[in-house]
Amino acid sequence: MKRLYSEVVSSLRETRRTLASFVPFLRPRLRGMLLALVLLLLETGTSLAQPWPLALILDYVLGGKSLPGYVPRFLAGSGVLLAALAFLAVVVSGASRGISSLRSYLLQRLGQETVFDLRNALYRRVHELGLDYHSDRRTGDTITRVTGDVREVRTLLVDSVVEIGSSSLILLGMLVVMLFLDWKLTLLALLGAPFLFLAVSRYRGALINRMRTVRTREGAIASVAQEAITGIRAVKIFGREREELSRFRRESEEALRASVESAAIQARFGLMLGLVGGLGVALVVYFGARQVLAGAISVGELTVFVSYLGQFFSPMWSLSRQANQVGQSLVSAERIVELLDAEPGVKDLPGARPAPPIAGRVTFEDVSFAYDPQAGYVLDGMSFDVEAGSRVALVGVSGAGKTTVTSLIARLYDPQEGRILIDGQDIKGFTLRSLREAVTFVPQEPMLFRATVAENIAYGRPGASREEIEHAAELAGAAEFIRALPEGYDTLVSERGESLSGGQRQRISIARAMLRDSPILILDEPEAGLDAEVAGAVAESWRHLTEGRTTFVISHELRLAREVDRILVIDSGDIVESGTHEELLERDGLYARLYALQEPDVTWR
């Protein structure tokens, strides 16, 4: 018993901490919640009054009891009294239904507004968190938190709270009336209550554990589906439909098993509640009838008592059901609080200021970085200095750290050691927004959105005029094919740009960078996957793009390195060679060996 008490207390404390995180979302709706409380009190009163017209009819119309002295004389006739009591029954029932409907509408509105604010806060947090957070978590699980878990929390914050309040008030009111009518019968009716509360405490922990599994598995299901649908081209090419179906089925089976176990727990609890409630009603009817025969209470009073008792177990069942629902919703609440409380690994430091106009000089001073410190450093004491406006190629074998260098420049991650400077100033002193406005990425796989061509080009600079968009497309060599599209710049691009060729997507991505016009530019494999003709057109576009900008080119195509001002060769997390194409070939080092592998027929010595 002591252990059970300790577990209950610990669970209540954790629940209180979780619920406290949602107070800011409820505070703006305090007035509406108070109105809902008033309606709840009125609804409780009308619910308690519903059996009384029938009880009065049984006692004073059918039973022939004399009316109390305070009742008006014009109601003394049985026909008039019957009509008045029938009308009263209609009024009470109608008022109860009307108040209930109004309360339901109000709570629906409050709940939806709360979901709106909570979902927006979660989505904002998703964008605030850095790549270090998202790389460790499955995308589908995050999506499930923002969608499904929010709906569960709405049930917890609005529906469950009000349902529990309503059931508790009705129970309290019924208990008071029942004690007033016959305290012995009331105590007899409550004999099963301790067993019900014991059952709630017993089943709640098991139910919460099952629901944690269900929510986790649902997140995994969403992730599997998201990965397969996003990569549907690869699934089709490699003929992996059956394997993807099997993977989805495995995750679904885990969720199904936990859901079935949860349903079984609730079914067992419902059976127990029905047996206890049925036994209570039988005892009350038996002993109540004997009280009527003995003249201790009237038939009408027994009718009210039995009516209340029948309803008494309904709110108790509702409370127990809501206890289970709260347990399920708390699992979702915990997952949401975990996301809301997650701290971005990269954020504005105290005193950070907007970056001044940037020329583009980039300096690394003894920079060391690891995605996972236990796995070792990706960059280890790297130092280099790139002049503003110069073009630099980052060269090295796969995994050498080329992309990591460019990610650190934009503070997608922060190094564990060392400093990164732009124009001689530590980039940690700038606000993230102003720093990233100074850096433009042209990724290997251009990310296009389901929007028009014009909107995709202007993605990096919202509000750009149509003339500016078209001028950027001209510079990127994209204007000709855009004009040939069905609706030109207003053509809707399919998700991820699947309706365009690789070269077209790349040129739209370059046009986006042209329009953004930032002083620092990063090109990641600008010609990867393109045929010679398209690659030549793209190369001409990025020559225009890089003019006057500090440019970092990541490329395995070393022939591109001949067109930059300087080549940085990265190996084992550090710069091992630096110079022009000709200088590095003369040194006969790592760069020369890599170049020889790509151009075996070329001699340079």
Side-chain angles (χ1 to χ4, degrees):
M1 183 63 70
K2 184 177 180 181
R3 180 182 176 184
L4 178 62
Y5 174 78
S6 177
E7 290 178 353
V8 170
V9 170
S10 176
S11 176
L12 289 175
R13 286 175 180 169
E14 185 63 33
T15 299
R16 187 171 65 249
R17 282 195 294 268
T18 300
L19 293 178
S21 301
F22 297 100
V23 170
F25 298 98
L26 294 174
R27 190 175 291 124
R29 289 159 193 96
L30 182 59
R31 184 177 300 176
M33 300 289 280
L34 290 175
L35 178 57
L37 177 60
V38 171
L39 293 174
L40 179 59
L41 292 172
L42 292 173
E43 183 182 353
T44 301
T46 54
S47 296
L48 292 174
Q50 285 194 50
W52 280 102
L54 177 60
L56 295 174
I57 289 173
L58 290 173
D59 283 347
Y60 295 103
V61 177
L62 301 179
K65 285 182 65 176
S66 300
L67 289 171
Y70 55 80
V71 176
R73 287 296 175 187
F74 72 89
L75 293 176
S78 60
V80 176
L81 180 61
L82 178 60
L85 291 175
F87 177 73
L88 178 62
V90 172
V91 170
V92 170
S93 177
S96 179
R97 294 292 182 184
I99 294 170
S100 177
S101 298
L102 181 57
R103 176 180 65 83
S104 178
Y105 163 76
L106 179 60
L107 290 175
Q108 284 288 334
R109 178 175 175 177
L110 293 174
Q112 294 303 328
E113 289 175 351
T114 303
V115 165
F116 177 82
D117 287 349
L118 182 56
R119 186 168 285 156
N120 276 280
L122 279 172
Y123 196 61
R124 187 183 309 113
R125 176 60 69 179
V126 166
H127 285 283
E128 289 172 348
L129 293 170
L131 296 183
D132 53 337
Y133 177 88
H134 293 294
S135 61
D136 291 337
R137 287 158 180 84
R138 302 181 76 170
T139 304
D141 183 68
T142 302
I143 293 173
T144 300
R145 296 183 192 222
V146 177
T147 54
D149 285 330
V150 168
R151 288 193 297 270
E152 284 290 330
V153 169
R154 175 208 175 280
T155 301
L156 172 66
L157 296 179
V158 179
D159 297 344
S160 293
V161 170
V162 173
E163 189 73 27
I164 290 172
S166 174
S167 299
S168 300
L169 285 173
I170 291 174
L171 277 175
L172 182 61
M174 288 180 178
L175 188 60
V176 170
V177 177
M178 289 164 68
L179 285 171
F180 176 77
L181 292 175
D182 193 310
W183 65 270
K184 293 179 182 179
L185 282 180
T186 303
L187 293 179
L188 189 65
L190 295 177
L191 282 178
F195 298 101
L196 294 179
F197 287 113
L198 184 62
V200 169
S201 62
R202 175 185 174 186
Y203 287 123
R204 184 173 177 273
L207 186 66
I208 288 177
N209 287 334
R210 298 304 188 283
M211 289 313 301
R212 282 199 180 100
T213 303
V214 170
R215 300 309 293 174
T216 301
R217 289 298 94 198
E218 286 177 350
I221 290 169
S223 291
V224 169
Q226 184 264 339
E227 289 168 3
I229 294 171
T230 302
I232 193 67
R233 179 186 293 272
V235 173
K236 295 291 184 184
I237 289 173
F238 291 102
R240 299 285 294 180
E241 290 91 347
R242 287 186 179 180
E243 288 75 11
E244 288 299 329
L245 286 171
S246 297
R247 193 158 70 109
F248 187 84
R249 185 181 180 85
R250 284 195 300 272
E251 297 291 357
S252 298
E253 284 174 347
E254 291 293 327
L256 174 63
R257 188 177 299 112
S259 296
V260 170
E261 290 174 357
S262 171
I265 291 172
Q266 295 184 65
R268 288 196 296 271
F269 182 79
L271 177 61
M272 178 181 294
L273 184 64
L275 291 174
V276 172
L279 180 60
V281 171
L283 289 173
V284 168
V285 169
Y286 176 77
F287 287 101
R290 296 190 62 174
Q291 291 283 74
V292 171
L293 293 174
I297 60 175
S298 69
V299 174
E301 289 172 336
L302 178 60
T303 301
V304 171
F305 201 97
V306 173
S307 175
Y308 277 0
L309 187 59
Q311 296 180 53
F312 190 80
F313 285 98
S314 177
M316 285 194 71
W317 167 242
S318 178
L319 282 174
S320 63
R321 189 182 70 248
Q322 288 304 321
N324 294 336
Q325 179 61 55
V326 167
Q328 297 176 39
S329 299
L330 278 174
V331 174
S332 294
E334 291 168 1
R335 287 161 51 83
I336 286 178
V337 170
E338 181 187 355
L339 180 54
L340 286 173
D341 289 347
E343 282 295 325
V346 178
K347 57 185 177 181
D348 287 340
L349 300 181
R353 64 194 186 285
I358 286 176
R361 181 180 179 182
V362 177
T363 306
F364 273 45
E365 293 183 348
D366 296 319
V367 171
S368 295
F369 173 77
Y371 294 100
D372 180 2
Q374 295 181 346
Y377 283 112
V378 178
L379 304 184
D380 191 5
M382 179 179 288
S383 296
F384 64 80
D385 187 46
V386 172
E387 291 296 329
S390 61
R391 294 185 292 186
V392 174
L394 301 177
V395 172
V397 298
S398 296
K402 304 183 293 295
T403 301
T404 301
V405 170
T406 58
S407 296
L408 292 175
I409 293 172
R411 278 198 77 197
L412 298 179
Y413 301 93
D414 277 337
Q416 281 82 14
E417 299 175 17
R419 295 196 307 163
I420 301 170
L421 312 176
I422 290 182
D423 294 346
Q425 300 182 62
D426 193 327
I427 61 174
K428 289 185 178 180
F430 302 144
T431 60
L432 283 173
R433 186 176 184 85
S434 65
L435 171 64
R436 290 173 183 170
E437 284 177 348
V439 181
T440 294
F441 280 84
V442 179
Q444 179 179 349
E445 287 292 334
M447 185 61 203
L448 301 186
F449 299 91
R450 187 170 179 78
T452 66
V453 172
E455 288 169 337
N456 269 285
I457 293 175
Y459 186 77
R461 189 180 151 197
S465 67
R466 177 56 70 93
E467 290 74 18
E468 291 172 319
I469 292 170
E470 293 180 2
H471 181 62
E474 290 282 356
L475 293 176
E480 184 177 349
F481 85 79
I482 292 175
R483 284 193 290 265
L485 294 173
E487 297 181 49
Y489 287 87
D490 295 317
T491 301
L492 187 66
V493 177
S494 64
E495 192 171 353
R496 298 183 304 280
E498 291 293 330
S499 57
L500 302 175
S501 70
Q504 290 172 333
R505 291 197 297 269
Q506 188 71 287
R507 276 177 277 186
I508 287 178
S509 183
I510 291 174
R512 179 188 291 168
M514 290 276 194
L515 184 62
R516 187 170 166 83
D517 193 24
S518 62
I520 299 175
L521 177 66
I522 295 167
L523 300 172
D524 189 355
E525 299 288 353
E527 296 182 9
L530 305 180
D531 59 41
E533 182 178 354
V534 174
V538 169
E540 186 63 30
S541 299
W542 76 259
R543 287 189 193 96
H544 288 297
L545 175 63
T546 60
E547 190 172 341
R549 295 181 175 89
T550 305
T551 305
F552 291 86
V553 181
I554 301 172
S555 179
H556 289 93
E557 297 287 340
L558 298 187
R559 58 188 173 81
L560 293 177
R562 288 177 288 192
E563 302 184 29
V564 300
D565 303 313
R566 184 180 170 196
I567 301 168
L568 300 178
V569 184
I570 304 175
D571 188 37
S572 299
D574 202 1
I575 305 296
V576 294
E577 294 179 352
S578 175
T580 64
H581 173 72
E582 290 75 14
E583 290 171 346
L584 295 180
L585 290 182
E586 285 295 326
R587 293 178 190 173
D588 197 16
L590 176 59
Y591 178 82
R593 294 195 296 274
L594 293 174
Y595 188 76
L597 291 174
Q598 291 190 12
E599 305 286 345
D601 297 329
V602 176
T603 57
W604 61 91
R605 301 190 63 188

